[in-house]
Amino acid sequence: MGRLGSWIVSDTTLFLFVALVVAILVIGVAVALVIGSRGRALPPADTVDRRLDDLREHPEAEPTPTGDGLEPALPEPGEIDEADTDNVEPPAEGDLAVDDVTTAPEVEQPAPTAGRLVRLRERLSRSQSSLGKGLLALLGRDRLDEDTWEEIEDTLLAADVGVTPTQELVETLRTRIKVEGVVEPDRAKAILREELIAQIDPSYDRSIAATGAEGAPGVVLVVGVNGTGKTTTVGRLARVLVADGDTVLLGAADTFRAAAADQLQTWGERVGVPTVRGPEGGDPASIAFDAVKTGKEGGYDTVVVDTAGRLHTKAGLMDELGKVKRVIEKQAPVTEVLLVIDATTGQNGLTQARVFAEVVDVTGIVLTKLDGTAKGGIVIAVQRELGVPVKLVGLGEGADDLAPFDPEGFVDALLA
Ligand SMILES: Nc1nc2c(ncn2[C@@H]2O[C@H](COP(=O)(O)OP(=O)(O)O)[C@@H](O)[C@H]2O)c(=O)[nH]1
Ligand SMILES: [Mg+2]
């Protein structure tokens, strides 16, 4: 009995002992799991700080949960190198997407073009502070001594007016002020206004030749270095023409990037203007030809052709621009060749302009990004350089920020 009893007691003790061990194990595992999961949710403090710093420096960097996370960035304007363009195989003539003409249902009403320069006057305030205000302050001095005239000259040069026009301006201002004797500030301003307008030359015809002869559309060819604002200009010019009641067709002859044609087409769709485009890497001349042919057959008033930003150092590419023009003219004469120049590039822009002018007969200049420079004098320099009038100016990135240029409005804005 005692043996039996002690066996029962020792058996119970063993049971309790085993139960206790199991309980401890269960609790232990549970605690370990909770701690483990918390540990995973909370990265070390320094990691969090680093992420926050990343986010502060690159707010656009997160989140990026795309596919493999290795999406190639779109090339920046100017980034396409010559090697890319060397290897492009033009498609056979039959490959061209003659039917690839699109229109969109939602159509915007572009702002009227009249008075745009005046409306956008404040955008020239940067140019104003340097050129206009600077000159007025100097001319307003009690005594116009040698040093002051030198400062006037420096101000004009700093505003990109160019050496020859600067010398002429200083010369005429000096003479006139000498002849008139002591001049009141208002009179000095009036003289400066007259002389600046004379330098910009109001006698130029600045209208865009957008209409063709009987039975043919007007053809506007837009050329210039990458990133100067060609595609933007084509899109905004289409809006100007549409606002004036013309029917317009766009030709996407920049075939080096599909994105370029997309960009143009988007501009067109906003104002209900169709775009003729071809395959990426297609022959620009063929697409330009195709666009003008479609425009002619469809009875459009104007075809505006966007081109690729030819690198002016590459003779072959420049020849190609000549080819685009020649091929178009098998359909209809090119009525206007607009050279787009970025006003912020100063002398560099002028050098580029010269090369383009050698290849195609430039008939008008579009000076973009005047809102982004203190050097409004580039208007004078570029006209002098090419002997071609500035016809349009870009004063912002907005759809209606392209203004017809007029010398008086411009000078008034500078001297306001
Ligand atoms: N601030 C400003 N930006 C402009 C103007 N014209 C064009 N741009 C910008 O310049 C960039 C390049 O324009 P794009 O038309 O693509 O140049 P493209 O390579 O010559 O076709 C774009 O971001 C445009 O919005 C302008 O008048 N003012
Ligand atoms: Mg472009």
Side-chain angles (χ1 to χ4, degrees), residues 244-272:
D244 293 348
D246 289 347
T247 54
V248 181
L249 182 74
L250 304 182
D254 178 355
T255 58
F256 291 110
R257 294 179 298 150
D262 291 344
Q263 186 192 353
L264 187 69
Q265 190 172 331
T266 304
W267 275 107
E269 283 172 354
R270 290 174 63 177
V271 279

PDB file of all heavy atoms in Angstrom, residues 244-272:
ATOM      1  N   ASP A 244      -6.911  82.557 -83.904  1.00  0.00           N
ATOM      2  CA  ASP A 244      -7.151  83.489 -85.013  1.00  0.00           C
ATOM      3  C   ASP A 244      -8.048  82.880 -86.089  1.00  0.00           C
ATOM      4  O   ASP A 244      -8.227  83.465 -87.157  1.00  0.00           O
ATOM      5  CB  ASP A 244      -5.814  83.946 -85.624  1.00  0.00           C
ATOM      6  CG  ASP A 244      -5.019  84.810 -84.658  1.00  0.00           C
ATOM      7  OD1 ASP A 244      -5.602  85.238 -83.635  1.00  0.00           O
ATOM      8  OD2 ASP A 244      -3.823  85.053 -84.915  1.00  0.00           O
ATOM      9  N   GLY A 245      -8.554  81.670 -85.849  1.00  0.00           N
ATOM     10  CA  GLY A 245      -9.547  81.078 -86.756  1.00  0.00           C
ATOM     11  C   GLY A 245      -8.996  80.209 -87.862  1.00  0.00           C
ATOM     12  O   GLY A 245      -9.714  79.873 -88.805  1.00  0.00           O
ATOM     13  N   ASP A 246      -7.708  79.824 -87.794  1.00  0.00           N
ATOM     14  CA  ASP A 246      -7.126  78.972 -88.834  1.00  0.00           C
ATOM     15  C   ASP A 246      -7.319  77.491 -88.509  1.00  0.00           C
ATOM     16  O   ASP A 246      -7.422  77.111 -87.346  1.00  0.00           O
ATOM     17  CB  ASP A 246      -5.614  79.236 -88.965  1.00  0.00           C
ATOM     18  CG  ASP A 246      -5.323  80.581 -89.594  1.00  0.00           C
ATOM     19  OD1 ASP A 246      -6.262  81.188 -90.141  1.00  0.00           O
ATOM     20  OD2 ASP A 246      -4.163  81.026 -89.530  1.00  0.00           O
ATOM     21  N   THR A 247      -7.345  76.656 -89.554  1.00  0.00           N
ATOM     22  CA  THR A 247      -7.292  75.209 -89.324  1.00  0.00           C
ATOM     23  C   THR A 247      -5.835  74.773 -89.423  1.00  0.00           C
ATOM     24  O   THR A 247      -5.106  75.190 -90.328  1.00  0.00           O
ATOM     25  CB  THR A 247      -8.132  74.438 -90.363  1.00  0.00           C
ATOM     26  OG1 THR A 247      -7.711  74.806 -91.677  1.00  0.00           O
ATOM     27  CG2 THR A 247      -9.615  74.747 -90.191  1.00  0.00           C
ATOM     28  N   VAL A 248      -5.416  73.977 -88.455  1.00  0.00           N
ATOM     29  CA  VAL A 248      -3.986  73.680 -88.303  1.00  0.00           C
ATOM     30  C   VAL A 248      -3.756  72.176 -88.208  1.00  0.00           C
ATOM     31  O   VAL A 248      -4.555  71.449 -87.622  1.00  0.00           O
ATOM     32  CB  VAL A 248      -3.436  74.372 -87.022  1.00  0.00           C
ATOM     33  CG1 VAL A 248      -1.950  74.107 -86.851  1.00  0.00           C
ATOM     34  CG2 VAL A 248      -3.715  75.870 -87.048  1.00  0.00           C
ATOM     35  N   LEU A 249      -2.640  71.734 -88.792  1.00  0.00           N
ATOM     36  CA  LEU A 249      -2.204  70.340 -88.692  1.00  0.00           C
ATOM     37  C   LEU A 249      -0.752  70.360 -88.212  1.00  0.00           C
ATOM     38  O   LEU A 249       0.029  71.212 -88.633  1.00  0.00           O
ATOM     39  CB  LEU A 249      -2.287  69.682 -90.077  1.00  0.00           C
ATOM     40  CG  LEU A 249      -1.923  68.204 -90.179  1.00  0.00           C
ATOM     41  CD1 LEU A 249      -3.029  67.325 -89.591  1.00  0.00           C
ATOM     42  CD2 LEU A 249      -1.694  67.802 -91.639  1.00  0.00           C
ATOM     43  N   LEU A 250      -0.408  69.445 -87.297  1.00  0.00           N
ATOM     44  CA  LEU A 250       0.965  69.398 -86.795  1.00  0.00           C
ATOM     45  C   LEU A 250       1.710  68.220 -87.407  1.00  0.00           C
ATOM     46  O   LEU A 250       1.129  67.158 -87.636  1.00  0.00           O
ATOM     47  CB  LEU A 250       0.975  69.265 -85.265  1.00  0.00           C
ATOM     48  CG  LEU A 250       0.229  70.337 -84.476  1.00  0.00           C
ATOM     49  CD1 LEU A 250       0.381  70.072 -82.977  1.00  0.00           C
ATOM     50  CD2 LEU A 250       0.751  71.729 -84.825  1.00  0.00           C
ATOM     51  N   GLY A 251       3.010  68.406 -87.667  1.00  0.00           N
ATOM     52  CA  GLY A 251       3.855  67.330 -88.163  1.00  0.00           C
ATOM     53  C   GLY A 251       4.959  67.055 -87.156  1.00  0.00           C
ATOM     54  O   GLY A 251       5.721  67.953 -86.812  1.00  0.00           O
ATOM     55  N   ALA A 252       5.035  65.809 -86.676  1.00  0.00           N
ATOM     56  CA  ALA A 252       6.014  65.459 -85.639  1.00  0.00           C
ATOM     57  C   ALA A 252       7.275  64.889 -86.289  1.00  0.00           C
ATOM     58  O   ALA A 252       7.512  63.687 -86.296  1.00  0.00           O
ATOM     59  CB  ALA A 252       5.409  64.464 -84.666  1.00  0.00           C
ATOM     60  N   ALA A 253       8.102  65.773 -86.833  1.00  0.00           N
ATOM     61  CA  ALA A 253       9.312  65.316 -87.521  1.00  0.00           C
ATOM     62  C   ALA A 253      10.505  65.173 -86.576  1.00  0.00           C
ATOM     63  O   ALA A 253      11.623  64.971 -87.028  1.00  0.00           O
ATOM     64  CB  ALA A 253       9.644  66.252 -88.677  1.00  0.00           C
ATOM     65  N   ASP A 254      10.293  65.292 -85.273  1.00  0.00           N
ATOM     66  CA  ASP A 254      11.323  64.910 -84.315  1.00  0.00           C
ATOM     67  C   ASP A 254      11.062  63.446 -83.992  1.00  0.00           C
ATOM     68  O   ASP A 254      10.178  63.118 -83.210  1.00  0.00           O
ATOM     69  CB  ASP A 254      11.245  65.762 -83.047  1.00  0.00           C
ATOM     70  CG  ASP A 254      12.293  65.334 -82.007  1.00  0.00           C
ATOM     71  OD1 ASP A 254      12.994  64.333 -82.259  1.00  0.00           O
ATOM     72  OD2 ASP A 254      12.404  66.003 -80.968  1.00  0.00           O
ATOM     73  N   THR A 255      11.821  62.574 -84.634  1.00  0.00           N
ATOM     74  CA  THR A 255      11.529  61.134 -84.529  1.00  0.00           C
ATOM     75  C   THR A 255      12.530  60.402 -83.647  1.00  0.00           C
ATOM     76  O   THR A 255      12.517  59.186 -83.579  1.00  0.00           O
ATOM     77  CB  THR A 255      11.558  60.492 -85.927  1.00  0.00           C
ATOM     78  OG1 THR A 255      12.842  60.724 -86.490  1.00  0.00           O
ATOM     79  CG2 THR A 255      10.492  61.068 -86.824  1.00  0.00           C
ATOM     80  N   PHE A 256      13.409  61.149 -83.005  1.00  0.00           N
ATOM     81  CA  PHE A 256      14.452  60.470 -82.235  1.00  0.00           C
ATOM     82  C   PHE A 256      13.942  59.922 -80.910  1.00  0.00           C
ATOM     83  O   PHE A 256      14.511  59.014 -80.345  1.00  0.00           O
ATOM     84  CB  PHE A 256      15.656  61.392 -82.034  1.00  0.00           C
ATOM     85  CG  PHE A 256      16.365  61.625 -83.333  1.00  0.00           C
ATOM     86  CD1 PHE A 256      16.322  62.866 -83.947  1.00  0.00           C
ATOM     87  CD2 PHE A 256      17.030  60.588 -83.959  1.00  0.00           C
ATOM     88  CE1 PHE A 256      16.950  63.068 -85.168  1.00  0.00           C
ATOM     89  CE2 PHE A 256      17.658  60.780 -85.173  1.00  0.00           C
ATOM     90  CZ  PHE A 256      17.619  62.022 -85.780  1.00  0.00           C
ATOM     91  N   ARG A 257      12.874  60.479 -80.417  1.00  0.00           N
ATOM     92  CA  ARG A 257      12.264  59.947 -79.191  1.00  0.00           C
ATOM     93  C   ARG A 257      10.764  59.879 -79.432  1.00  0.00           C
ATOM     94  O   ARG A 257      10.159  60.832 -79.920  1.00  0.00           O
ATOM     95  CB  ARG A 257      12.477  60.913 -78.015  1.00  0.00           C
ATOM     96  CG  ARG A 257      13.888  61.085 -77.564  1.00  0.00           C
ATOM     97  CD  ARG A 257      13.937  62.078 -76.418  1.00  0.00           C
ATOM     98  NE  ARG A 257      13.464  63.399 -76.808  1.00  0.00           N
ATOM     99  CZ  ARG A 257      12.871  64.253 -75.998  1.00  0.00           C
ATOM    100  NH1 ARG A 257      12.624  63.929 -74.751  1.00  0.00           N
ATOM    101  NH2 ARG A 257      12.504  65.434 -76.428  1.00  0.00           N
ATOM    102  N   ALA A 258      10.145  58.763 -79.036  1.00  0.00           N
ATOM    103  CA  ALA A 258       8.687  58.657 -79.143  1.00  0.00           C
ATOM    104  C   ALA A 258       8.048  59.749 -78.292  1.00  0.00           C
ATOM    105  O   ALA A 258       7.018  60.319 -78.657  1.00  0.00           O
ATOM    106  CB  ALA A 258       8.231  57.290 -78.687  1.00  0.00           C
ATOM    107  N   ALA A 259       8.688  60.079 -77.167  1.00  0.00           N
ATOM    108  CA  ALA A 259       8.129  61.069 -76.250  1.00  0.00           C
ATOM    109  C   ALA A 259       7.947  62.424 -76.919  1.00  0.00           C
ATOM    110  O   ALA A 259       7.041  63.178 -76.569  1.00  0.00           O
ATOM    111  CB  ALA A 259       9.032  61.200 -75.028  1.00  0.00           C
ATOM    112  N   ALA A 260       8.804  62.728 -77.898  1.00  0.00           N
ATOM    113  CA  ALA A 260       8.722  64.027 -78.567  1.00  0.00           C
ATOM    114  C   ALA A 260       7.409  64.147 -79.345  1.00  0.00           C
ATOM    115  O   ALA A 260       6.737  65.180 -79.298  1.00  0.00           O
ATOM    116  CB  ALA A 260       9.913  64.213 -79.495  1.00  0.00           C
ATOM    117  N   ALA A 261       7.050  63.074 -80.058  1.00  0.00           N
ATOM    118  CA  ALA A 261       5.795  63.084 -80.815  1.00  0.00           C
ATOM    119  C   ALA A 261       4.596  63.092 -79.864  1.00  0.00           C
ATOM    120  O   ALA A 261       3.602  63.775 -80.111  1.00  0.00           O
ATOM    121  CB  ALA A 261       5.740  61.890 -81.758  1.00  0.00           C
ATOM    122  N   ASP A 262       4.704  62.354 -78.765  1.00  0.00           N
ATOM    123  CA  ASP A 262       3.625  62.342 -77.766  1.00  0.00           C
ATOM    124  C   ASP A 262       3.397  63.747 -77.217  1.00  0.00           C
ATOM    125  O   ASP A 262       2.269  64.208 -77.070  1.00  0.00           O
ATOM    126  CB  ASP A 262       3.984  61.419 -76.583  1.00  0.00           C
ATOM    127  CG  ASP A 262       3.991  59.953 -76.998  1.00  0.00           C
ATOM    128  OD1 ASP A 262       3.436  59.642 -78.068  1.00  0.00           O
ATOM    129  OD2 ASP A 262       4.553  59.133 -76.246  1.00  0.00           O
ATOM    130  N   GLN A 263       4.516  64.415 -76.904  1.00  0.00           N
ATOM    131  CA  GLN A 263       4.459  65.771 -76.347  1.00  0.00           C
ATOM    132  C   GLN A 263       3.732  66.711 -77.311  1.00  0.00           C
ATOM    133  O   GLN A 263       2.854  67.470 -76.911  1.00  0.00           O
ATOM    134  CB  GLN A 263       5.895  66.257 -76.102  1.00  0.00           C
ATOM    135  CG  GLN A 263       6.025  67.593 -75.388  1.00  0.00           C
ATOM    136  CD  GLN A 263       7.464  68.132 -75.461  1.00  0.00           C
ATOM    137  OE1 GLN A 263       8.387  67.453 -75.920  1.00  0.00           O
ATOM    138  NE2 GLN A 263       7.644  69.359 -75.007  1.00  0.00           N
ATOM    139  N   LEU A 264       4.081  66.586 -78.592  1.00  0.00           N
ATOM    140  CA  LEU A 264       3.467  67.436 -79.613  1.00  0.00           C
ATOM    141  C   LEU A 264       1.983  67.113 -79.759  1.00  0.00           C
ATOM    142  O   LEU A 264       1.135  68.011 -79.809  1.00  0.00           O
ATOM    143  CB  LEU A 264       4.184  67.238 -80.944  1.00  0.00           C
ATOM    144  CG  LEU A 264       3.759  68.188 -82.050  1.00  0.00           C
ATOM    145  CD1 LEU A 264       4.233  69.595 -81.735  1.00  0.00           C
ATOM    146  CD2 LEU A 264       4.309  67.742 -83.397  1.00  0.00           C
ATOM    147  N   GLN A 265       1.691  65.828 -79.801  1.00  0.00           N
ATOM    148  CA  GLN A 265       0.303  65.393 -79.978  1.00  0.00           C
ATOM    149  C   GLN A 265      -0.575  65.898 -78.825  1.00  0.00           C
ATOM    150  O   GLN A 265      -1.714  66.316 -79.035  1.00  0.00           O
ATOM    151  CB  GLN A 265       0.261  63.868 -80.048  1.00  0.00           C
ATOM    152  CG  GLN A 265      -1.087  63.332 -80.475  1.00  0.00           C
ATOM    153  CD  GLN A 265      -1.054  61.841 -80.737  1.00  0.00           C
ATOM    154  OE1 GLN A 265      -0.019  61.299 -81.116  1.00  0.00           O
ATOM    155  NE2 GLN A 265      -2.168  61.181 -80.530  1.00  0.00           N
ATOM    156  N   THR A 266      -0.025  65.868 -77.622  1.00  0.00           N
ATOM    157  CA  THR A 266      -0.774  66.359 -76.460  1.00  0.00           C
ATOM    158  C   THR A 266      -1.116  67.832 -76.617  1.00  0.00           C
ATOM    159  O   THR A 266      -2.235  68.256 -76.355  1.00  0.00           O
ATOM    160  CB  THR A 266       0.051  66.132 -75.168  1.00  0.00           C
ATOM    161  OG1 THR A 266       0.370  64.752 -75.087  1.00  0.00           O
ATOM    162  CG2 THR A 266      -0.728  66.565 -73.941  1.00  0.00           C
ATOM    163  N   TRP A 267      -0.134  68.607 -77.086  1.00  0.00           N
ATOM    164  CA  TRP A 267      -0.390  70.032 -77.345  1.00  0.00           C
ATOM    165  C   TRP A 267      -1.533  70.183 -78.349  1.00  0.00           C
ATOM    166  O   TRP A 267      -2.435  70.998 -78.174  1.00  0.00           O
ATOM    167  CB  TRP A 267       0.861  70.720 -77.916  1.00  0.00           C
ATOM    168  CG  TRP A 267       1.828  71.203 -76.891  1.00  0.00           C
ATOM    169  CD1 TRP A 267       3.038  70.663 -76.588  1.00  0.00           C
ATOM    170  CD2 TRP A 267       1.692  72.361 -76.053  1.00  0.00           C
ATOM    171  NE1 TRP A 267       3.654  71.387 -75.613  1.00  0.00           N
ATOM    172  CE2 TRP A 267       2.855  72.445 -75.266  1.00  0.00           C
ATOM    173  CE3 TRP A 267       0.691  73.319 -75.887  1.00  0.00           C
ATOM    174  CZ2 TRP A 267       3.051  73.447 -74.334  1.00  0.00           C
ATOM    175  CZ3 TRP A 267       0.894  74.324 -74.955  1.00  0.00           C
ATOM    176  CH2 TRP A 267       2.058  74.384 -74.186  1.00  0.00           C
ATOM    177  N   GLY A 268      -1.457  69.402 -79.423  1.00  0.00           N
ATOM    178  CA  GLY A 268      -2.463  69.479 -80.476  1.00  0.00           C
ATOM    179  C   GLY A 268      -3.843  69.114 -79.962  1.00  0.00           C
ATOM    180  O   GLY A 268      -4.829  69.817 -80.232  1.00  0.00           O
ATOM    181  N   GLU A 269      -3.904  68.049 -79.197  1.00  0.00           N
ATOM    182  CA  GLU A 269      -5.201  67.558 -78.709  1.00  0.00           C
ATOM    183  C   GLU A 269      -5.919  68.601 -77.864  1.00  0.00           C
ATOM    184  O   GLU A 269      -7.143  68.684 -77.869  1.00  0.00           O
ATOM    185  CB  GLU A 269      -4.987  66.277 -77.892  1.00  0.00           C
ATOM    186  CG  GLU A 269      -4.741  65.061 -78.780  1.00  0.00           C
ATOM    187  CD  GLU A 269      -4.342  63.820 -77.992  1.00  0.00           C
ATOM    188  OE1 GLU A 269      -4.151  63.921 -76.761  1.00  0.00           O
ATOM    189  OE2 GLU A 269      -4.230  62.760 -78.627  1.00  0.00           O
ATOM    190  N   ARG A 270      -5.136  69.391 -77.150  1.00  0.00           N
ATOM    191  CA  ARG A 270      -5.760  70.390 -76.268  1.00  0.00           C
ATOM    192  C   ARG A 270      -6.579  71.413 -77.033  1.00  0.00           C
ATOM    193  O   ARG A 270      -7.523  71.988 -76.499  1.00  0.00           O
ATOM    194  CB  ARG A 270      -4.687  71.093 -75.435  1.00  0.00           C
ATOM    195  CG  ARG A 270      -4.080  70.172 -74.409  1.00  0.00           C
ATOM    196  CD  ARG A 270      -2.937  70.817 -73.685  1.00  0.00           C
ATOM    197  NE  ARG A 270      -3.343  71.998 -72.917  1.00  0.00           N
ATOM    198  CZ  ARG A 270      -2.516  72.688 -72.161  1.00  0.00           C
ATOM    199  NH1 ARG A 270      -1.259  72.346 -72.063  1.00  0.00           N
ATOM    200  NH2 ARG A 270      -2.938  73.742 -71.487  1.00  0.00           N
ATOM    201  N   VAL A 271      -6.157  71.676 -78.286  1.00  0.00           N
ATOM    202  CA  VAL A 271      -6.917  72.660 -79.075  1.00  0.00           C
ATOM    203  C   VAL A 271      -7.584  72.023 -80.290  1.00  0.00           C
ATOM    204  O   VAL A 271      -8.003  72.715 -81.207  1.00  0.00           O
ATOM    205  CB  VAL A 271      -6.051  73.871 -79.520  1.00  0.00           C
ATOM    206  CG1 VAL A 271      -5.912  74.868 -78.401  1.00  0.00           C
ATOM    207  CG2 VAL A 271      -4.695  73.425 -80.025  1.00  0.00           C
ATOM    208  N   GLY A 272      -7.666  70.710 -80.265  1.00  0.00           N
ATOM    209  CA  GLY A 272      -8.368  70.019 -81.347  1.00  0.00           C
ATOM    210  C   GLY A 272      -7.633  70.021 -82.667  1.00  0.00           C
ATOM    211  O   GLY A 272      -8.236  70.024 -83.732  1.00  0.00           O
TER     212      GLY A 272
END
